[in-house]
């Protein structure tokens, strides 16, 4: 056995095209246990595709994803199910089921799980709702919640399984800056209290600065630049500068 711990999450030369359109053209990086990494890139640069590859919802055309020393790219669906339990994912939007209550949404992943009792599920749901500062809203429906509250419920659902890695897809997109900041604080709280490895995809540079130990920039299908936030924001590379300054310009809107 090696004395160095394997990376929590590793992408090796990932390539992915759709109908001849190359989205990812050799993406490689390694994320240590407990690290938080923010992946930035323009709309359409392949950020959501990359997250889906990392969690095994999409398969790469070539390249590999390694999770805690296991290559998931060759796994069948049953093996992938086991690995996915190590992940929590907060989807873009929040993706709650409107017909279900908050508690039912959060406990959705337990619906086929015979190993956990109803009272334990209820205890866990209450615990994660407290973690996201929404205690007692179990019986509300998503339609009764504000955008920020829905994001919090999405976050609660992502951590109820006690994941080791949490992936966030644009967690602050569409929120006003004050609500966005409160979501960022929650992401940090979850990271620090649960000790999870955190991967955030965003084009919000404020969030990137606030959340990242390390920023990776996806551009032209590859990791074009990377570094600690201070280093990254001081970059003189024209492509990096254009991205940082462009998305900081409030007159421009990026979706
Ligand atoms: N399932 C799919 N089928 C076909 N094209 C897709 C699919 N998913 C994503 N794409 C394409 O891949 C590109 C990157 O998409 P995406 O990862 O969603 O970008 P981002 O999240 O960076 O805005 C886009 O051109 C998108 O249209
Ligand atoms: Mg996306």
């Amino acid at each position: 056995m090696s004395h160095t711990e394997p990376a929590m999450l590793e992408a090796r030369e990932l390539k992915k095209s759709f109908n001849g359109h190359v989205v990812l053209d050799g993406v490689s990086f390694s994320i240590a246990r407990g690290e938080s990494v923010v992946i930035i890139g323009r709309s359409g640069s392949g950020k959501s595709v990359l997250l889906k590859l990392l969690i095994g919802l999409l398969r790469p055309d070539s390249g590999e994803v390694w999770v805690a020393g296991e290559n998931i790219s060759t796994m069948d669906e049953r093996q992938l199910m086991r690995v996915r339990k190590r992940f929590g994912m907060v989807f873009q939007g929040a993706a709650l089921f409107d017909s279900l209550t908050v508690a039912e949404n959060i406990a959705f992943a337990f619906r086929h799980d015979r190993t956990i009792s109803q009272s334990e599920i209820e205890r866990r749901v209450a615990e994660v709702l407290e973690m996201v500062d929404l205690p007692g809203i179990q019986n509300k429906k998503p339609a009764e919640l504000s955008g920020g509250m829905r994001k919090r419920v999405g976050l609660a659902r992502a951590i109820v399984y006690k994941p080791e890695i949490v992936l966030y897809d644009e967690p602050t997109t569409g929120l006003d800056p004050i609500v966005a900041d409160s979501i960022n604080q929650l992401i940090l709280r979850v990271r620090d209290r649960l000790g999870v490895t955190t991967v955030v995809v965003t084009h919000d540079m404020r969030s990137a600065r606030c959340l990242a130990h390390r920023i990776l920039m996806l551009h032209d299908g590859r990791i074009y630049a990377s570094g600690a936030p201070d280093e990254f924001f001081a970059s003189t590379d024209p492509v990096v500068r254009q991205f940082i300054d462009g998305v900081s310009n409030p007159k421009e809107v990026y979706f």
Side-chain angles (χ1 to χ4, degrees):
M1 203 177 123
S2 161
H3 60 278
T4 51
E5 197 186 4
M8 193 69 228
L9 196 53
E10 197 180 346
R12 294 189 186 167
E13 283 296 312
L14 289 177
K15 297 192 180 186
K16 185 74 184 173
S17 299
F18 294 102
N19 314 313
H21 168 55
V22 178
V23 177
L24 301 180
D25 193 22
V27 168
S28 300
F29 54 78
S30 177
I31 300 176
R33 188 181 288 273
E35 195 180 10
S36 65
V37 168
V38 172
I39 301 171
I40 61 171
R42 288 196 180 281
S43 183
S45 60
K47 303 182 297 298
S48 295
V49 166
L50 179 57
L51 284 188
K52 286 174 191 159
L53 291 171
L54 292 178
I55 197 172
L57 288 173
L58 276 177
R59 293 205 184 256
D61 298 334
S62 64
E64 293 168 355
V65 173
W66 288 69
V67 178
E70 284 189 294
N71 180 4
I72 72 164
S73 312
T74 53
M75 288 183 178
D76 62 28
E77 197 54 35
R78 199 179 50 80
Q79 293 170 306
L80 274 176
M81 292 285 279
R82 174 178 57 77
V83 173
R84 280 198 204 108
K85 289 187 176 168
R86 306 178 84 136
F87 287 89
M89 176 129 180
V90 180
F91 290 93
Q92 197 163 351
L96 302 177
F97 297 107
D98 288 326
S99 61
L100 302 182
T101 65
V102 165
E104 287 164 345
N105 265 287
I106 293 173
F108 195 74
F110 292 116
R111 71 198 179 286
H112 298 309
D113 193 334
R114 302 271 173 267
T115 65
I116 183 166
S117 68
Q118 192 55 37
S119 63
E120 173 64 8
I121 291 174
E122 283 168 20
R123 196 188 63 72
R124 291 247 210 132
V125 168
E127 184 180 78
V128 293
L129 278 174
E130 263 175 42
M131 175 91 84
V132 300
D133 294 333
L134 291 174
I137 68 155
Q138 279 85 337
N139 295 322
K140 290 203 183 297
K141 289 284 183 67
E144 300 173 69
L145 308 178
S146 69
M149 288 167 85
R150 294 166 69 96
K151 292 269 187 191
R152 285 167 188 262
V153 172
L155 215 175
R157 180 178 54 186
I159 59 178
V160 76
Y161 239 110
K162 300 188 188 300
E164 296 163 81
I165 308 166
V166 183
L167 309 180
Y168 298 88
D169 197 352
E170 306 273 4
T172 57
T173 297
L175 301 176
D176 73 56
I178 293 171
V179 178
D181 276 347
S182 74
I183 296 294
N184 286 334
Q185 292 313 313
L186 265 187
I187 293 171
L188 293 176
R189 179 193 291 177
V190 164
R191 180 189 77 192
D192 296 338
R193 288 208 193 148
L194 304 183
V196 296
T197 305
T198 302
V199 182
V200 180
V201 150
T202 188
H203 56 235
D204 174 5
M205 297 311 295
R206 272 172 62 90
S207 296
R209 190 190 273 283
C210 160
L211 297 174
H213 293 135
R214 188 154 54 103
I215 297 174
L216 306 178
M217 180 174 168
L218 190 59
H219 178 69
D220 278 348
R222 292 168 170 273
I223 301 300
Y224 179 83
S226 68
D230 283 347
E231 197 184 338
F232 200 85
F233 281 88
S235 172
T236 55
D237 180 280
V239 174
V240 176
R241 273 293 16 123
Q242 192 188 26
F243 184 83
I244 294 173
D245 300 338
V247 296
S248 307
N249 181 349
K251 290 196 190 73
E252 294 186 50
V253 182
Y254 287 81
F255 287 108

